[in-house]
Amino acid sequence: MDVIDPATDEVIESYEGHSPSDVDEMLGTATAAFETWRQRPLADRERLLASAGEVLRENADEYAETVTREMGKPISQAEAEVEKCARACDHYAEHASAYLEPEHHPSPPGTAVKTAYEPLGPVLAVMPWNFPFWQVFRFAAPYLTAGNVGLLKHASNVPGCALAIEEVFREAGYPEGVFQSLLIPSDRVEDVVADDRVTAATLTGSEGAGRAVAATAGENLKKTVLELGGSDPYVVLSDADLEAAATTGAWARNQNGGQSCIAAKRFVVVDDAYDEFLGRFAEAVESLAVGDPQDSETDVGPQARQDLLEEVHEQVRDSVEAGATLVTGGEPLDREGAYYPPTVLADVPEGCPVDTEEVFGPVAAVYRVDDEAAAVEKANDTEFGLGASVWTTDRDRGERLAGQIDAGCVYVNELVKSDPRVPFGGVGISGYGRELSEAGIKEFVNRKTVWLADEPEDGTVVE
C-alpha cells in the first residue's frame, strides 16, 4: 500500500498488506482473545480504556502528524481529532458500567427477571479516511469496553493511522488480539464479513459500501450498524443572527476540507434573509486560509486524493452548466497537491449534482425559499437523513422545526457535530443504528433475558 501525501502528490510510505493466510491467523487470534477478554471484569476494561486515552494524549503530536501526512487534514484539526478520541475514552471509562448495568423488570412473586448486556464477539469495522482516528475510536471505545474484540479494515490511504491506533491499544496494555488492523483491499472485505468467526460489522462510508457490507452480513444473519453519507441542510430563517449563521456556516461546510458526512452542504435560506446571508457567507468562505496542512494557521488543506478532487470538480462543473451561479471558487488551485478552493454556488437548479448528490468537498449549494414551510420542504428534499442545522433567534421555533426535519440529529444555532455523550446516526440512505452514548455501547451486545424462580411453577407456558 503506497501512501501519497495529498499536499505534494509524493509517495511518502509503503506498507506490506496482509495476505489471506495472515488474515486467517488474525481471525483465529481474535476468537481466542475474545474468550478471555469477555471474562475480564468491566472495571478492568474501563481502566484500560482510560489508559488508551492517556496514550493518545502523550503521543498526540505524532498521531496528528500521521493524520496530516496521510490525508491532508490541517494539523490543528488533526490535533483536535486526537483529543476528541481521548475524550471518548474518558467518557466510556467513566460511564460504561452504568450503561451496561443489568436492567431489572417487574416479575411474579418468587421470581426475578433482568436483562443482561453481554458481548457478541469479534466485530469488523470498515472505516473511512476522512477522520481516520475519530471514526475508529467512535466504535472501538464502546465496543471493546463492552467486551467485544475489534478488527479494523481501514481505508487504504491511511494504513499508518490504522497501525498507530493498534499501537495505542497495545501501549495501553490491551491483550494481544483484542484490537487488530487488517491491511487489506476493499475487495476482500466480503470474505471477512462472511467468516463465521466474525459476529457483527460496522461501517462508516459511502452508500455503495454500506449496501455491500449489509448485503453480505444479511446473508449471514449478522448485525450491522451503518453510518453513510449525508447532504445536510443548513436552514437560515428570517430572524436568524445572520453574521453568526454565515460565519459558522462557512466553517460547517469547509472544516476538514469539506470532507465530512455531517458537513453542512445545502444552505436553505428564506427570501427575507437571502441576499444579506449570501453576501456574508461568501465573504466568510473567502476569508478561510487555504494552504499547507502542516501550517497551524491553515483552515483548509488539500483534498485527500487527486481522484476525489476531480470528482468534486466534475460535480461543480456539471451544476454550473445546469444553471447554478458560481459565486466564488470553482476551479482547482494551480499549485502542487490536491487543492480545491472553498466554493459557493447559488441559484442551484433542481436535479443538478450538488442538489441531489453528496458533494464530499468544500462546495456549498445555496437556495432561496419563500418561507419557513418551504425551507422545511427543501430540507427534506433528499434521500439522505444524517444531520441538519436550523438558525433562528426563537429557540422554541427552532425546536418546532427540528421536529419537522427528517434527520438523525438537528442542531439549532449550532453546526452538526458528534459527541461521545449523545447518540449519533442517520435515517434514509444515511444508514441505521446509533453510535456513541449508551445507545452506541448497546448496539453490539446480546440483550440476554435472565429469569430466576425460587420454585418451578405449574408448567403452564403462555407465548
Side-chain angles (χ1 to χ4, degrees):
M1 294 181 179
D2 290 337
V3 177
I4 298 175
D5 184 342
T8 64
D9 291 332
E10 297 178 351
V11 176
I12 55 174
E13 195 75 64
S14 293
Y15 292 84
E16 188 71 30
H18 290 124
S19 68
S21 61
D22 292 334
V23 172
D24 181 69
E25 182 178 346
M26 295 167 81
L27 289 172
T29 300
T31 302
F34 173 63
E35 293 307 317
T36 55
W37 179 244
R38 69 187 303 184
Q39 302 299 330
R40 289 283 289 268
L42 180 52
D44 283 359
R45 300 199 295 263
E46 289 175 320
R47 176 181 55 78
L48 287 169
L49 186 63
S51 296
E54 293 173 2
V55 173
L56 283 164
R57 291 189 171 102
E58 290 167 0
N59 300 281
D61 291 346
E62 174 189 341
Y63 297 148
E65 174 73 16
T66 301
V67 170
T68 297
R69 293 177 72 239
E70 290 199 326
M71 57 75 55
K73 189 188 300 289
I75 189 67
S76 60
Q77 296 174 38
E79 292 166 350
E81 180 176 338
V82 175
E83 171 57 27
K84 188 173 183 178
C85 296
R87 292 202 305 273
C89 293
D90 295 344
H91 178 77
Y92 282 106
E94 181 179 352
H95 296 286
S97 291
Y99 289 158
L100 297 173
E101 182 72 20
E103 180 182 359
H104 295 274
H105 306 284
S107 58
T111 67
V113 181
K114 68 177 181 178
T115 297
Y117 301 102
E118 300 180 354
L120 296 179
V123 176
L124 173 67
V126 182
M127 293 290 111
W129 48 262
N130 58 330
F131 289 88
F133 266 66
W134 170 242
Q135 304 282 15
V136 176
F137 276 89
R138 205 166 71 186
F139 92 83
Y143 296 172
L144 299 188
T145 309
N148 298 296
V149 300
L151 297 160
L152 170 64
K153 189 290 180 208
H154 218 324
S156 295
N157 60 328
V158 289
C161 291
L163 295 177
I165 294 168
E166 189 175 78
E167 176 189 75
V168 170
F169 290 109
R170 183 168 56 250
E171 291 294 321
Y174 280 70
E176 180 184 2
V178 171
F179 183 92
Q180 300 175 87
S181 290
L182 311 180
L183 300 186
I184 60 175
S186 296
D187 60 9
R188 286 171 54 195
V189 170
E190 181 178 354
D191 290 340
V192 180
V193 176
D195 192 288
D196 290 341
R197 292 167 289 186
V198 171
T199 59
T202 180
L203 177 142
T204 298
S206 69
E207 176 194 347
R211 290 183 185 275
V213 166
T216 301
E219 290 174 359
N220 292 274
L221 299 178
K222 297 180 182 180
K223 173 72 180 291
T224 54
V225 168
L226 304 179
E227 193 263 276
L228 309 179
S231 187
D232 288 10
Y234 190 96
V235 177
V236 182
L237 302 179
S238 57
D239 66 343
D241 180 336
L242 296 183
E243 178 61 26
T247 302
T248 304
W251 186 244
R253 172 64 279 205
N254 293 286
Q255 183 183 17
N256 199 37
Q259 300 165 124
S260 171
C261 297
I262 55 172
K265 299 185 175 79
R266 297 178 299 125
F267 291 76
V268 182
V269 188
V270 297
D271 183 67
D272 289 348
Y274 182 86
D275 291 332
E276 182 179 351
F277 173 82
L278 181 59
R280 291 177 181 271
F281 180 58
E283 183 179 352
V285 166
E286 290 170 348
S287 72
L288 295 172
V290 181
D292 181 359
Q294 299 287 352
D295 186 341
S296 61
E297 299 301 313
T298 293
D299 297 313
V300 180
Q303 300 297 279
R305 300 194 310 261
Q306 279 288 348
D307 63 303
L308 299 172
L309 178 150
E310 293 166 5
E311 181 178 335
V312 167
H313 185 50
E314 181 179 1
Q315 290 173 304
V316 170
R317 185 179 63 243
D318 291 350
S319 297
V320 170
E321 290 178 356
T325 299
L326 182 62
V327 177
T328 188
E331 288 290 339
L333 298 183
D334 185 18
R335 60 179 294 174
E336 184 180 57
Y339 286 92
Y340 201 83
T343 296
V344 177
L345 298 177
D347 308 313
V348 176
E350 291 187 4
C352 72
V354 300
D355 180 55
T356 60
E357 302 171 5
E358 179 180 30
V359 183
F360 217 63
V363 179
V366 186
Y367 302 81
R368 185 197 297 264
V369 295
D370 290 337
D371 51 27
E372 175 186 303
V376 172
E377 182 179 2
K378 185 60 187 178
N380 288 333
D381 185 24
T382 177
E383 293 184 286
F384 294 101
L386 194 53
S389 184
V390 175
W391 287 78
T392 171
T393 53
D394 184 337
R395 184 167 170 173
D396 291 339
R397 185 186 190 191
E399 185 174 7
R400 175 170 52 79
L401 262 66
Q404 298 173 25
I405 294 176
D406 300 326
C409 59
V410 181
Y411 283 67
V412 178
N413 297 328
E414 182 59 279
L415 57 79
V416 177
K417 54 190 174 183
S418 57
D419 186 296
R421 298 167 293 185
V422 296
F424 180 79
V427 295
I429 65 171
S430 290
Y432 52 75
R434 290 294 180 268
E435 296 179 289
L436 302 177
S437 77
E438 181 176 359
I441 200 171
K442 287 181 176 177
E443 281 286 3
F444 289 122
V445 294
N446 173 20
R447 298 170 183 247
K448 179 185 287 184
T449 297
V450 179
W451 182 294
L452 304 170
D454 293 338
E455 297 180 1
E457 296 185 0
D458 61 8
T460 304
V461 176
V462 180
E463 294 186 353

